[in-house]
Coordinates of all heavy atoms in Angstrom, one line a residue:
G152 N -106.4 19.3 -75.7 CA -106.1 18.4 -74.6 C -105.2 17.3 -74.9 O -104.8 16.5 -74.0
L153 N -105.0 17.0 -76.2 CA -104.1 15.9 -76.6 C -102.7 16.1 -76.0 O -102.1 15.1 -75.6 CB -104.1 15.7 -78.1 CG -103.3 14.5 -78.6 CD1 -103.9 13.2 -78.1 CD2 -103.3 14.5 -80.1
D154 N -102.2 17.3 -76.0 CA -100.9 17.5 -75.4 C -100.9 17.1 -73.9 O -99.9 16.5 -73.5 CB -100.5 19.0 -75.6 CG -101.6 20.0 -75.2 OD1 -102.8 19.6 -75.0 OD2 -101.3 21.2 -75.1
S155 N -101.9 17.5 -73.2 CA -102.0 17.1 -71.8 C -102.1 15.6 -71.6 O -101.4 15.1 -70.7 CB -103.3 17.8 -71.2 OG -103.3 19.1 -71.4
L156 N -102.9 15.0 -72.4 CA -103.1 13.5 -72.3 C -101.7 12.8 -72.5 O -101.3 12.0 -71.8 CB -104.1 13.0 -73.3 CG -104.3 11.5 -73.4 CD1 -104.9 10.9 -72.1 CD2 -105.1 11.2 -74.6
L157 N -101.0 13.2 -73.6 CA -99.8 12.6 -73.9 C -98.7 12.8 -72.9 O -97.9 11.9 -72.5 CB -99.3 13.0 -75.3 CG -100.2 12.5 -76.5 CD1 -99.7 13.1 -77.8 CD2 -100.2 11.0 -76.5
S158 N -98.7 14.0 -72.3 CA -97.8 14.3 -71.2 C -98.0 13.4 -70.0 O -97.0 12.9 -69.4 CB -97.9 15.8 -70.7 OG -97.3 16.6 -71.6
M159 N -99.2 13.1 -69.7 CA -99.6 12.3 -68.5 C -99.3 10.8 -68.8 O -98.8 10.1 -67.8 CB -101.0 12.5 -68.1 CG -101.2 13.8 -67.5 SD -102.9 14.0 -67.0 CE -102.9 15.8 -66.5
V160 N -99.6 10.3 -69.9 CA -99.4 8.9 -70.1 C -98.0 8.5 -70.5 O -97.6 7.3 -70.5 CB -100.4 8.3 -71.2 CG1 -101.8 8.5 -70.8 CG2 -100.1 8.9 -72.6
Q161 N -97.1 9.4 -70.8 CA -95.7 9.1 -71.1 C -94.7 9.3 -70.0 O -93.6 9.8 -70.1 CB -95.3 10.1 -72.3 CG -96.0 9.8 -73.6 CD -95.8 8.4 -74.1 OE1 -94.7 7.8 -73.9 NE2 -96.7 7.9 -74.9
M162 N -95.2 8.9 -68.8 CA -94.3 9.0 -67.6 C -93.2 8.0 -67.7 O -93.3 6.9 -68.2 CB -95.1 8.8 -66.4 CG -96.1 9.9 -66.1 SD -95.4 11.5 -65.9 CE -94.2 11.2 -64.6
P163 N -92.0 8.3 -67.1 CA -90.9 7.4 -67.2 C -91.1 6.2 -66.2 O -91.9 6.3 -65.3 CB -89.7 8.2 -66.7 CG -90.3 9.3 -65.9 CD -91.6 9.6 -66.5
A164 N -90.5 5.1 -66.5 CA -90.6 3.9 -65.6 C -90.3 4.3 -64.2 O -89.4 5.0 -63.9 CB -89.6 2.8 -66.1
G165 N -91.1 3.8 -63.3 CA -91.0 4.0 -61.9 C -91.7 5.1 -61.3 O -91.8 5.3 -60.1
I166 N -92.3 6.0 -62.2 CA -93.1 7.1 -61.7 C -94.5 7.0 -62.4 O -94.9 7.7 -63.3 CB -92.5 8.5 -62.1 CG1 -91.0 8.5 -61.7 CG2 -93.3 9.6 -61.5 CD1 -90.8 8.5 -60.2
P167 N -95.4 6.0 -61.9 CA -96.6 5.8 -62.6 C -97.6 7.0 -62.2 O -97.7 7.5 -61.1 CB -97.1 4.5 -62.0 CG -96.5 4.4 -60.6 CD -95.1 5.1 -60.8
V168 N -98.4 7.3 -63.2 CA -99.5 8.2 -63.1 C -100.7 7.6 -63.9 O -100.5 7.4 -65.1 CB -99.2 9.6 -63.7 CG1 -100.5 10.5 -63.6 CG2 -98.1 10.3 -62.9
A169 N -101.7 7.1 -63.2 CA -102.9 6.6 -63.9 C -103.5 7.8 -64.7 O -103.3 9.0 -64.3 CB -103.9 6.1 -62.9
C170 N -104.2 7.6 -65.7 CA -104.7 8.7 -66.5 C -106.1 8.4 -67.0 O -106.4 7.2 -67.5 CB -103.8 8.9 -67.7 SG -104.1 10.5 -68.6
V171 N -107.0 9.4 -66.9 CA -108.3 9.2 -67.4 C -108.5 10.1 -68.7 O -107.5 10.7 -69.1 CB -109.4 9.6 -66.4 CG1 -109.4 8.7 -65.2 CG2 -109.2 11.1 -66.0
A172 N -109.6 10.1 -69.3 CA -109.8 10.8 -70.5 C -109.7 12.3 -70.4 O -109.8 12.8 -69.2 CB -111.2 10.5 -71.1
I173 N -109.5 13.0 -71.4 CA -109.4 14.5 -71.4 C -110.8 15.0 -70.9 O -111.8 14.6 -71.3 CB -109.2 15.0 -72.9 CG1 -107.8 14.5 -73.4 CG2 -109.3 16.6 -72.9 CD1 -107.7 14.7 -74.9
N174 N -110.6 15.8 -69.8 CA -111.8 16.4 -69.1 C -112.7 15.3 -68.5 O -113.8 15.4 -68.3 CB -112.7 17.3 -70.0 CG -112.1 18.7 -70.2 OD1 -110.9 18.9 -69.8 ND2 -112.8 19.6 -70.8
G175 N -112.0 14.1 -68.2 CA -112.7 13.0 -67.6 C -112.8 13.0 -66.1 O -112.5 12.0 -65.4
A176 N -113.2 14.1 -65.5 CA -113.2 14.3 -64.1 C -114.0 13.3 -63.3 O -113.7 12.8 -62.3 CB -113.6 15.7 -63.7
L177 N -115.2 13.0 -63.9 CA -116.1 12.0 -63.2 C -115.3 10.7 -63.0 O -115.3 10.1 -61.9 CB -117.4 11.8 -64.0 CG -118.3 10.8 -63.3 CD1 -118.9 11.3 -62.0 CD2 -119.5 10.5 -64.3
N178 N -114.7 10.2 -64.1 CA -114.0 9.0 -64.0 C -112.8 9.1 -63.1 O -112.4 8.1 -62.4 CB -113.6 8.4 -65.3 CG -114.7 7.6 -66.0 OD1 -115.7 7.3 -65.4 ND2 -114.5 7.3 -67.2
A179 N -112.1 10.2 -63.0 CA -111.0 10.4 -62.1 C -111.5 10.2 -60.6 O -110.9 9.5 -59.8 CB -110.4 11.8 -62.3
G180 N -112.6 10.9 -60.3 CA -113.2 10.7 -59.0 C -113.6 9.3 -58.7 O -113.4 8.8 -57.6
L181 N -114.2 8.6 -59.7 CA -114.7 7.2 -59.5 C -113.5 6.3 -59.3 O -113.5 5.4 -58.5 CB -115.6 6.8 -60.6 CG -116.9 7.4 -60.6 CD1 -117.7 7.1 -61.9 CD2 -117.8 7.0 -59.4
L182 N -112.4 6.6 -60.1 CA -111.2 5.7 -59.9 C -110.6 5.9 -58.5 O -110.2 4.9 -57.9 CB -110.2 6.1 -61.0 CG -108.9 5.3 -61.0 CD1 -109.1 3.8 -61.0 CD2 -108.0 5.7 -62.2
A183 N -110.6 7.1 -58.0 CA -110.1 7.4 -56.7 C -111.0 6.6 -55.7 O -110.4 6.0 -54.7 CB -110.1 8.9 -56.4
V184 N -112.3 6.6 -55.9 CA -113.2 5.8 -55.0 C -112.8 4.3 -55.0 O -112.7 3.7 -54.0 CB -114.6 6.1 -55.3 CG1 -115.6 5.1 -54.5 CG2 -115.0 7.5 -55.0
Q185 N -112.6 3.8 -56.2 CA -112.3 2.4 -56.4 C -111.0 2.1 -55.7 O -110.9 1.0 -55.0 CB -112.2 2.0 -57.8 CG -113.5 1.9 -58.5 CD -113.3 1.5 -60.0 OE1 -112.9 2.3 -60.8 NE2 -113.7 0.2 -60.3
I186 N -110.0 2.9 -55.8 CA -108.7 2.7 -55.1 C -108.9 2.7 -53.6 O -108.4 1.8 -52.9 CB -107.7 3.8 -55.5 CG1 -107.3 3.6 -57.0 CG2 -106.5 3.7 -54.6 CD1 -106.5 4.8 -57.6
L187 N -109.7 3.6 -53.1 CA -109.9 3.7 -51.7 C -110.8 2.5 -51.2 O -110.7 2.1 -50.0 CB -110.6 5.0 -51.3 CG -109.7 6.3 -51.5 CD1 -110.5 7.5 -51.5 CD2 -108.6 6.3 -50.5
A188 N -111.7 2.0 -52.0 CA -112.6 1.0 -51.7 C -111.9 -0.3 -51.3 O -112.4 -1.2 -50.6 CB -113.6 0.7 -52.8
V189 N -110.7 -0.5 -51.7 CA -109.9 -1.7 -51.3 C -109.6 -1.6 -49.8 O -109.6 -2.7 -49.2 CB -108.5 -1.7 -52.1 CG1 -107.6 -2.7 -51.6 CG2 -108.8 -1.9 -53.6
K190 N -109.5 -0.5 -49.3 CA -109.2 -0.3 -47.8 C -110.5 -0.1 -47.0 O -110.5 -0.4 -45.9 CB -108.3 0.9 -47.7 CG -107.9 1.2 -46.2 CD -106.9 2.3 -46.1 CE -106.6 2.7 -44.7 NZ -105.7 3.9 -44.6
Y191 N -111.5 0.6 -47.6 CA -112.7 1.0 -46.9 C -113.9 0.3 -47.4 O -114.4 0.6 -48.5 CB -112.9 2.5 -47.0 CG -111.8 3.4 -46.5 CD1 -110.8 3.9 -47.3 CD2 -111.8 3.6 -45.1 CE1 -109.8 4.7 -46.8 CE2 -110.7 4.4 -44.6 CZ -109.8 4.9 -45.4 OH -108.8 5.7 -44.9
P192 N -114.3 -0.8 -46.7 CA -115.5 -1.6 -47.1 C -116.7 -0.8 -47.4 O -117.5 -1.1 -48.3 CB -115.7 -2.6 -46.0 CG -114.4 -2.6 -45.2 CD -113.8 -1.2 -45.4
E193 N -117.0 0.3 -46.6 CA -118.2 1.1 -46.8 C -118.1 1.8 -48.2 O -119.2 1.9 -48.8 CB -118.4 2.1 -45.7 CG -117.3 3.2 -45.6 CD -116.1 2.8 -44.8 OE1 -115.8 1.7 -44.5 OE2 -115.3 3.8 -44.5
L194 N -117.0 2.1 -48.7 CA -116.9 2.7 -50.0 C -117.1 1.6 -51.1 O -117.7 1.9 -52.1 CB -115.5 3.4 -50.2 CG -115.3 4.7 -49.6 CD1 -113.9 5.3 -49.8 CD2 -116.4 5.7 -50.1
M195 N -116.6 0.4 -50.8 CA -116.9 -0.7 -51.8 C -118.4 -0.9 -51.9 O -118.9 -1.1 -53.0 CB -116.2 -2.0 -51.3 CG -116.3 -3.1 -52.3 SD -115.5 -2.8 -53.9 CE -113.8 -3.1 -53.5

């Protein structure tokens, strides 16, 4: 998975991709909730 991780974090300027740990699906879901919680008070 190191190849996958490095591909994701080495994005060119102007095309951001946030990145979680290898097989870090739980944190990916939680980060999505946090992003949405800025707009949706019930999620916060």
Side-chain angles (χ1 to χ4, degrees):
L153 184 59
D154 48 346
S155 307
L156 174 68
L157 293 175
S158 283
M159 289 183 185
V160 299
Q161 294 297 331
M162 292 302 302
I166 310 296
V168 174
C170 192
V171 296
I173 298 165
N174 283 8
L177 179 67
N178 274 352
L181 290 171
L182 180 55
V184 170
Q185 284 181 291
I186 291 168
L187 293 166
V189 172
K190 179 179 178 183
Y191 297 99
E193 65 275 15
L194 284 178
M195 183 64 76

